[in-house]
Amino acid sequence: MSLAPMLQDFHFLRPAWLLALPLLWGLSLWLARRRGRDGDWSRLIDPELLAGLQLEGAATRGGLSPWPLLALLWTLAVLALAGPAWEQESSPAFRGSAAWIVILDLSPSMTVADLSPDRVTRARYAVDDVLAAAHDARVGLVVFSEEAYTVTPLTSDVATVRSLLSPLEPAIMPTRGDQLAPALDRAAELLAGAAASEQRVIVISDGYADPAAAFASASRLRAKGVKLSVLGVGTPGGAPLPGGSGGFVRDAQGNTALARFDPEALQGLATAAGGRYRPLSGLADLTAELADQQSPVRGGAATDMTLSKWRDAGIWLLPVLLVLAALFGRRGWL
């Protein structure tokens, strides 16, 4: 490496250590002046006798002062701690090739019990199975009713995402509704900065009330290369919608309101995004597909990554420091 580029790139990785240099140089100077040639013996011995003793000691001492060496030793130690650097080195790096956003429906209809014990519990079980398939993938979680909310952004800490599943119930949502489009848009935002070769949104729902907006959001995901998987939760016959007082919700005619399951709408959503719809019974096929997408054969290109970092050259000062420290330990210098 030529000298000019080296000088241009030269810097300290931890420059704050350089603030110690003036203090250490001042301490060395103070020690040198305080412990001069007479070693402060002039306070205890008469000047005439001290002069004779100094002449006698000068014949046996080597005559080298330790204080310049001490200042040099401290200077080199501070420079090593500051981390001089002028070259970069590359190291291999790995990042999971997949990024998934799971969208969980927390609309009021998810409380019905046409599936045992109810739809939302079975949906949480499905999310847990999806998380179990995320070996190297980063996963985020979004919930929706009338509005969408981010539970966790993209993370490789699947255990943390799993720990947040239990409290997710329709009752915790501040408003009641069934708007899927905001959740799809939120998923697109979370995936926008993800450097992953495979991006996927997984919707777990029993239906939605905004088909036009949801189809438009799904089409935008498709245009960005994001895959969409839809998992339906419910039975065709539906079940009565639980009310807040322990009974069931009734319509304007006084009849018990049924929460229907709409697989056709979910299938249409998957088609709009170029994805695939599965009923809850197809969960095993979905998790197998997700696991396959993370295999080395499919995701190998994403592992060919390198990270560049500055090489800390302070380590090369350590041998010099050891030699100087050994010299400083010479008998009679302190």
Side-chain angles (χ1 to χ4, degrees):
M1 184 176 185
S2 60
L3 183 60
M6 185 181 73
L7 293 177
Q8 183 179 0
D9 295 334
F10 183 85
H11 66 285
F12 290 99
L13 301 177
R14 299 171 292 274
W17 277 103
L18 299 177
L19 297 176
L21 283 178
L23 298 176
L24 294 175
W25 290 339
L27 180 59
S28 299
L29 181 61
W30 178 78
L31 289 173
R33 296 185 63 181
R34 184 174 181 274
R35 301 185 63 182
R37 293 184 178 180
D38 60 6
D40 284 343
W41 286 106
S42 59
R43 299 181 181 181
L44 304 174
I45 303 175
D46 293 334
E48 295 82 3
L49 180 58
L50 181 59
L53 293 174
Q54 286 177 337
L55 291 175
E56 181 181 351
T60 58
R61 271 179 28 189
L64 291 177
S65 174
W67 310 118
L69 181 61
L70 178 63
L72 177 61
L73 187 65
W74 280 347
T75 300
L76 292 178
V78 169
L79 292 178
L81 290 171
W86 59 86
E87 285 185 315
Q88 286 188 326
E89 58 182 356
S90 299
S91 58
F94 173 79
R95 168 173 283 183
S97 59
W100 308 338
I101 299 296
V102 180
I103 297 179
L104 176 61
D105 188 349
L106 291 184
S107 60
S109 61
M110 292 292 286
T111 60
V112 304
D114 55 346
L115 297 175
S116 179
D118 52 39
R119 290 181 182 178
V120 69
T121 301
R122 294 293 293 274
R124 290 201 305 266
Y125 291 162
V127 175
D128 190 78
D129 288 346
V130 170
L131 295 176
H135 303 298
D136 296 319
R138 289 167 291 159
V139 184
L141 180 59
V142 173
V143 297
F144 75 93
S145 56
E146 185 178 18
E147 299 178 357
Y149 300 91
T150 301
V151 179
T152 62
L154 283 172
T155 177
S156 57
D157 188 1
V158 175
T160 297
V161 183
R162 183 177 282 115
S163 68
L164 298 174
L165 287 178
S166 180
L168 297 182
E169 296 276 355
I172 71 171
M173 302 301 283
T175 55
R176 298 169 64 89
D178 203 358
Q179 309 296 315
L180 177 57
L184 295 174
D185 294 338
R186 179 66 59 88
E189 294 174 3
L190 294 174
L191 290 172
S197 60
E198 191 234 341
Q199 298 183 352
R200 183 184 294 261
V201 173
I202 304 163
V203 176
I204 302 177
S205 173
D206 62 353
Y208 48 92
D210 56 342
F215 282 15
S217 297
S219 299
R220 288 193 292 270
L221 288 175
R222 183 177 187 177
K224 295 177 181 178
V226 179
K227 298 179 180 179
L228 181 67
S229 298
V230 181
L231 193 66
V233 182
T235 59
L241 184 63
S245 59
F248 296 102
V249 176
R250 297 186 177 275
D251 57 21
Q253 289 74 33
N255 300 319
T256 301
L258 294 179
R260 301 291 183 181
F261 171 59
D262 193 356
E264 289 78 14
L266 295 174
Q267 176 67 65
L269 177 71
T271 302
R276 183 175 179 182
Y277 165 77
R278 293 179 176 87
L280 190 60
S281 58
L283 176 60
D285 294 336
L286 173 61
T287 55
E289 178 185 344
L290 295 175
D292 182 63
Q293 291 295 328
Q294 300 174 80
S295 65
V297 174
R298 301 210 176 197
T303 64
D304 296 333
M305 299 174 59
T306 58
L307 294 178
S308 296
K309 63 178 183 179
W310 290 101
R311 180 179 299 167
D312 190 344
I315 190 173
W316 299 111
L317 294 175
L318 294 181
V320 181
L321 283 171
L322 292 175
V323 173
L324 293 179
L327 292 176
F328 193 73
R330 182 179 176 188
R331 181 186 297 272
W333 277 14
L334 295 178

